[in-house]
Amino acid sequence: MGKIKILTKDIGTPNLQNIDVYISKGGYASVEKAIKTLGPDAVVEEVKKSGLRGRGGAGFPTGMKWSFIDKTPGKSRYLVCNADESEPGTFKDRYLMAENPHVLIEGMITSSFALGANRSYIYVRGELIYVVRILQKAIDEAKAKGYLGKNILGSGFDLDLNVTCGAGAYICGEETALIESLEGKRGNPRIKPPFPAIAGLWGMPTVVNNVESIAAVPWIVVNGGEEYAKLGIGKSTGTKLISAGGHINKPGVYEIELGVPVEEFIYSDEYCGGIWKNRKLKAVVAGGSSVPILPANLITKTANGEARLMSYESLSDGGFATGTMLGSGGFIAYDETACIVKNTWNFARFYHHESCGQCSPCREGTGWMEKVLHNIEHGHGKPSDIDLLVDVAKKIEGNTICPLGDAAAWPVASAVRHFRDEFEWHIKNPSAATQPGAVFRNEAVLA
Amino acid sequence: MSEISLFKVTIDGEEVEVAPGTTILQAARQLGKHVPPAMCYYTKLQGSGGKCRTCIVKVTAGSTKDPRPMPKLVASCRTPVMDGMVVANETSPEVIEARKGVTEFLLINHPLDCPICDQAGECHLQDLGYEHGAQKTRYDFERRTFDKIDIGPYVQLHMTRCILCYRCVYTADQITDKRVHGVLDRGDHSEISTYIEKAITNDFSGNVIDVCPVGALTDKTFRFKSRVWFTKPVYAHRNCPKCTGKVTLWYKGDDVLRVTGRKDKWGELEDFICNTCRFETKKTADWVIEGVVNVDRHSVISQNKYTLKAEKPVVPELASKHTGEGTWDHQLK
């Protein structure tokens, strides 16, 4: 795999947040190229050719999403950048926005031009107020240079780019809840259909894209979609930011070309640098807390014994029985001292806290799972609790308005699926399991 | 006007033709059989529905044009029909299982205080519990509780019983210009509330009682006066300057204990009535009586609605030799 960097190549340059430094690195070339030579439809075509997939978690092809937008004349269209990064384990967007804000601004201008949006929004998570300030400064600089505002580069294309700030709710990362919040309402997800491409912000056609997806657009426009599609593997084209965390030697944000073997990603010095303190690897959550957890023996190799790669397809190989998802790229590694029950309880507590409460399975089910897991973790579990957890998770999954229900059910269901003996050990040996630092060991799953 | 071509939909093997834009639930209601239960959807409230998930159905074929099944169960109240759509409601074990799950979720934080609840007897959650609930709860944790709140002089909010269907929120949005009533907080600790216990002063605020599917919003002028099944509903009207004046009076003996709007077969109000009619006009002399209400579908006040579904008690051998007197079957006759 090549070592090409697209989003992070200039990070490390002093004062990259300054527009002059950014331009000296070739910045804003995509705006010039899109407006002066390509035209909107050609930009959409390049993005389609690139095979770029949504980096927020679902992995839906960005170009296709753009082509769904309702282009009825007279209806204003909106582009909204989802910078409400709140998935536990994921911290790539805030790093990118703080270090290289102009790549996002440039991407927003080029993408808005392609979609014909004259007003666009970047919705930043409430906690990241420092990012809001960085982005606002970048927008002001871009406006002063004529890349934003009225009649951009003499083309007649106007763009008003706004940064807005959420109030820190995880649910507002769901695109329709984000739109509600942007409209000044309570951040409840909307019932789909209609999809935002038909009726989104203020009831108008809207595209909502992740920060990383939009930030990849400038490179695609400058170098061509086909060049981008050459990177990566199969339908997982291009590069992806991975937020690596947990029990590894070198936590941080890494830009990888999709298709890097998981084993290389964990153990090579270029990336995570192996498991800390020379311990064994026990489990990995590969794409943010919502995706199924996998034991170490299934994360480096698929059930068929093939090497697992960091790509959409390879990580989901085997379905949920033996696979997981690339998700948003929040890669959390757990060493042999980690307690899966405690971790699952912690995740369940998060989803219980963040459920908006609009639809009943998620509202009631997340709380129920959290309470049952709390009991197991604290030595009050019953043997029937394990099947109860599986059943509750199954009844939430797929029956909710938005994907938060699934996101809450998957980690619990997968933890029980792969670490059932650990749950049973907790229930059978409550006094031993509640000792500080007590951990169930199963050598078979460690690596 | 040119004739609109109707969409043909199949629900549980029965075909019905409906106008484009009709939802699956409405189509099922037109058909009259195999109707999914709806706890949050309310035809007259714009934006309602999709939340409680009790009405979920399986779409086994999307349309004639695109006969692929839908990947997930869908909320029938908010999913418009397509021509040639095939829907499985009661015939799908997956739907029945999921609906059982939803019923269980709705009940785990519900106090089940039916014996002291004014809504008992005309409660949609009771109906749902009878039809889709389990006999025993698997939930052994403390249930969430709230203090009772008076919303104005006539309405009491008993949040503990609320299932967060949002119907009252949509009602308040519809009858008032400003936002007066909404949802605070998040998840299972979210609560329906007015802005710092401010009263809803609107003349039609009493309708939130009628749209509430459970006993969370109750009529303070009727609290603890009588069980609803001991009262007799009678249609009546009066010349009201504010509303249509078409109501249901609930009698016990010669006294009007309660005035409500008229509800249709699905438990939905035909018209919103004003607070004067509802709370302040409780003398027979004020009304022109139209006749007794025939309660058909709705709730346990419809006599014997659940009798046939109840398990027959096992009567040992004697029953066969007996004349039949005193047995369950005999009682039913």
Side-chain angles (χ1 to χ4, degrees):
Chain A
M1 282 278 134
K3 305 278 185 263
I4 185 152
K5 301 254 187 289
I6 289 175
L7 304 169
T8 57
K9 70 174 170 17
D10 296 323
I11 291 181
T13 311
N15 293 324
L16 186 63
Q17 292 92 335
N18 182 299
I19 196 164
D20 293 319
V21 178
Y22 181 73
I23 290 173
S24 74
K25 289 281 173 186
Y28 288 96
S30 77
V31 178
E32 308 249 357
K33 186 175 175 186
I35 290 181
K36 288 181 179 160
T37 56
L38 288 178
D41 295 341
V43 175
V44 175
E45 215 38 55
E46 289 302 323
V47 173
K48 269 190 182 170
K49 270 192 238 164
S50 74
L52 174 67
R53 291 168 68 170
R55 301 298 195 219
F60 191 80
T62 307
M64 206 190 286
K65 199 175 196 177
W66 286 11
S67 63
F68 289 154
I69 195 165
D70 177 8
K71 290 207 164 165
T72 312
K75 266 192 186 175
S76 31
R77 279 161 256 161
Y78 295 100
L79 173 65
V80 178
C81 172
N82 184 347
D84 189 75
E85 181 181 52
S86 330
E87 180 91 353
T90 309
F91 44 87
K92 63 185 176 71
D93 292 343
R94 69 166 175 193
Y95 168 78
L96 185 67
M97 290 187 289
E99 296 293 326
N100 196 358
H102 281 289
V103 73
L104 176 62
I105 307 299
E106 182 181 352
M108 285 299 285
I109 300 168
T110 311
S111 310
S112 300
F113 174 70
L115 292 163
N118 296 111
R119 178 173 289 184
S120 298
Y121 294 89
I122 304 174
Y123 182 95
V124 185
R125 177 182 170 188
E127 284 89 338
L128 307 182
I129 190 74
Y130 70 103
V131 171
V132 173
R133 295 193 184 109
I134 292 170
L135 288 173
Q136 190 57 55
K137 185 172 155 277
I139 287 172
D140 295 343
E141 286 176 348
K143 211 174 268 176
K145 293 271 179 194
Y147 290 118
L148 269 174
K150 297 256 175 241
N151 194 16
I152 296 170
L153 305 177
S155 63
F157 171 65
D158 304 335
L159 177 62
D160 180 12
L161 181 57
N162 302 281
V163 183
T164 52
C165 194
Y170 174 70
I171 190 62
C172 290
E174 197 277 339
E175 58 178 4
T176 53
L178 189 154
I179 288 170
E180 286 278 300
S181 171
L182 205 49
E183 289 181 3
K185 299 177 189 153
R186 177 184 166 87
N188 276 359
R190 291 179 182 171
I191 293 140
K192 290 177 266 188
F195 288 91
I198 309 298
L201 187 60
W202 319 115
M204 294 297 171
T206 306
V207 166
V208 183
N209 280 139
N210 178 254
V211 171
E212 200 188 336
S213 315
I214 290 174
V217 171
W219 194 94
I220 291 168
V221 169
V222 171
N223 297 281
E226 276 158 17
E227 278 304 305
Y228 192 83
K230 281 180 196 163
L231 305 171
I233 183 162
K235 282 186 176 171
S236 302
T237 61
T239 65
K240 170 100 187 77
L241 296 177
I242 304 289
S243 333
H247 297 147
I248 49 174
N249 280 320
K250 290 167 60 192
V253 177
Y254 297 100
E255 183 169 9
I256 60 157
E257 189 177 337
L258 285 166
V260 171
V262 177
E263 193 158 6
E264 183 187 334
F265 183 73
I266 299 173
Y267 293 102
S268 118
D269 278 339
E270 196 184 337
Y271 304 117
C272 302
I275 308 305
W276 76 342
K277 299 179 182 173
N278 287 320
R279 288 182 188 156
K280 286 181 170 175
L281 178 67
K282 181 175 186 180
V284 165
V285 169
S289 63
S290 308
V291 309
I293 190 168
L294 280 187
N297 57 338
L298 281 174
I299 188 70
T300 49
K301 295 248 188 310
T302 66
N304 300 330
E306 289 163 26
R308 209 185 274 280
L309 311 175
M310 297 289 280
S311 73
Y312 291 98
E313 290 77 22
S314 182
L315 279 171
S316 55
D317 184 273
F320 278 1
T322 59
T324 178
M325 286 163 79
L326 179 61
S328 57
F331 192 92
I332 313 169
Y334 298 89
D335 74 12
E336 57 194 300
T337 65
C339 173
I340 299 298
V341 175
K342 190 172 186 178
N343 179 67
T344 311
W345 168 52
N346 190 29
F347 282 170
R349 193 170 52 162
F350 173 80
Y351 290 109
H352 176 209
H353 184 253
E354 295 296 344
S355 168
C356 79
Q358 196 183 191
C359 62
S360 21
C362 177
R363 178 182 68 234
E364 306 294 347
T366 50
W368 195 356
M369 290 196 300
E370 196 234 307
K371 286 172 190 146
V372 172
L373 282 160
H374 178 276
N375 268 3
I376 299 176
E377 166 64 18
H378 292 86
H380 309 297
K382 292 186 300 233
S384 60
D385 281 349
I386 299 178
D387 288 331
L388 177 67
L389 276 178
V390 175
D391 193 54
V392 172
K394 203 178 95 193
K395 280 175 173 154
I396 300 173
E397 189 188 338
N399 292 336
T400 54
I401 294 175
C402 81
L404 195 142
D406 299 343
W410 290 342
V412 175
S414 61
V416 175
R417 189 181 309 129
H418 298 298
F419 297 93
R420 197 179 180 104
D421 44 3
E422 187 160 345
F423 283 84
E424 282 167 357
W425 180 75
H426 268 259
I427 291 167
K428 279 180 200 153
N429 308 289
S431 51
T434 45
Q435 292 301 314
V439 169
F440 175 78
R441 274 182 83 88
N442 177 4
E443 296 296 334
V445 300
L446 300 179
Chain B
M1 210 175 108
S2 65
E3 203 154 293
I4 319 157
S5 59
L6 295 175
F7 282 175
K8 198 175 274 179
V9 197
T10 314
I11 300 168
D12 279 352
E14 303 214 19
E15 267 185 20
V16 62
E17 286 195 336
V18 294
T22 311
T23 60
I24 299 174
L25 179 72
Q26 292 295 10
R29 285 184 178 181
Q30 282 187 31
L31 200 59
K33 295 178 226 170
H34 320 292
V35 183
M39 301 295 291
C40 67
Y41 175 79
Y42 211 79
T43 316
K44 282 176 194 65
L45 299 175
Q46 212 193 348
S48 69
K51 300 187 196 313
C52 72
R53 317 306 284 180
T54 55
C55 71
I56 46 177
V57 293
K58 190 171 176 61
V59 177
T60 49
S63 64
T64 316
K65 246 189 245 167
D66 182 4
R68 285 178 302 172
M70 290 191 182
K72 288 178 180 177
L73 301 181
V74 298
S76 62
C77 65
R78 288 293 293 262
T79 310
V81 295
M82 301 298 282
D83 195 22
M85 187 183 263
V86 182
V87 178
N89 174 30
E90 285 160 13
T91 51
S92 163
E94 197 185 333
V95 169
I96 297 298
E97 186 64 15
R99 204 170 279 160
K100 208 175 147 188
V102 172
T103 309
E104 185 173 27
F105 286 136
L106 287 174
L107 289 171
I108 60 170
N109 270 317
H110 189 78
L112 295 171
D113 58 346
C114 312
I116 54 149
C117 175
D118 279 331
Q119 188 85 2
E122 51 179 25
C123 172
H124 290 233
L125 192 59
Q126 257 183 337
D127 285 356
L128 188 75
Y130 272 108
E131 280 155 19
H132 297 281
Q135 291 191 333
K136 217 177 139 224
T137 182
R138 297 187 289 171
Y139 187 78
D140 45 14
F141 300 94
E142 199 175 310
R143 289 159 197 253
R144 80 189 168 146
T145 47
F146 294 88
D147 291 336
K148 297 184 189 98
I149 299 173
D150 285 333
I151 305 179
Y154 299 122
V155 186
Q156 191 175 66
L157 169 64
H158 195 2
M159 190 55 216
T160 308
R161 293 175 185 150
C162 178
I163 59 160
L164 288 160
C165 71
Y166 281 63
R167 279 182 185 174
C168 58
V169 177
Y170 289 113
T171 309
D173 277 358
Q174 216 152 299
I175 59 177
T176 56
D177 301 331
K178 280 185 192 157
R179 200 84 205 271
V180 289
H181 188 75
V183 177
L184 304 179
D185 225 319
R186 207 162 56 197
D188 57 7
H189 35 276
S190 51
E191 60 180 302
I192 301 284
S193 188
T194 50
Y195 178 66
I196 320 183
E197 296 187 25
K198 218 174 159 186
I200 304 178
T201 47
N202 188 282
D203 240 345
F204 285 79
S205 64
N207 290 292
V208 297
I209 300 164
D210 278 352
V211 301
C212 183
V214 295
L217 290 161
T218 48
D219 182 344
K220 280 172 75 180
T221 65
F222 178 63
R223 295 199 79 216
F224 307 129
K225 287 265 174 72
S226 171
R227 309 306 328 216
V228 290
W229 55 86
F230 294 140
T231 59
K232 196 166 92 179
V234 170
Y235 280 146
H237 67 263
R238 70 186 263 266
N239 197 0
C240 176
K242 283 184 274 190
C243 67
T244 58
K246 289 181 178 171
V247 301
T248 307
L249 305 178
W250 298 77
Y251 274 97
K252 191 172 188 181
D254 292 334
D255 299 329
V256 177
L257 291 192
R258 175 171 78 139
V259 183
T260 68
R262 290 186 191 177
K263 290 185 179 178
D264 66 12
K265 205 175 164 189
W266 314 109
E268 292 185 3
L269 280 182
E270 284 167 10
D271 290 302
F272 284 156
I273 60 166
C274 69
N275 285 359
T276 316
C277 286
R278 183 186 299 273
F279 301 115
E280 284 158 14
T281 324
K282 291 203 176 178
K283 281 192 215 107
T284 305
D286 298 329
W287 298 96
V288 181
I289 305 295
E290 293 172 22
V292 177
V293 179
N294 181 24
V295 182
D296 60 348
R297 171 194 169 267
H298 185 58
S299 215
V300 286
I301 49 169
S302 164
Q303 278 205 339
N304 293 337
K305 182 165 190 272
Y306 298 106
T307 334
L308 296 174
K309 279 197 173 177
E311 256 175 56
K312 290 184 183 182
V314 183
V315 184
E317 309 231 336
L318 272 177
S320 57
K321 293 167 193 161
H322 206 265
T323 52
E325 204 177 326
T327 63
W328 189 262
D329 286 327
H330 188 81
Q331 298 269 318
L332 284 181
K333 284 168 202 164

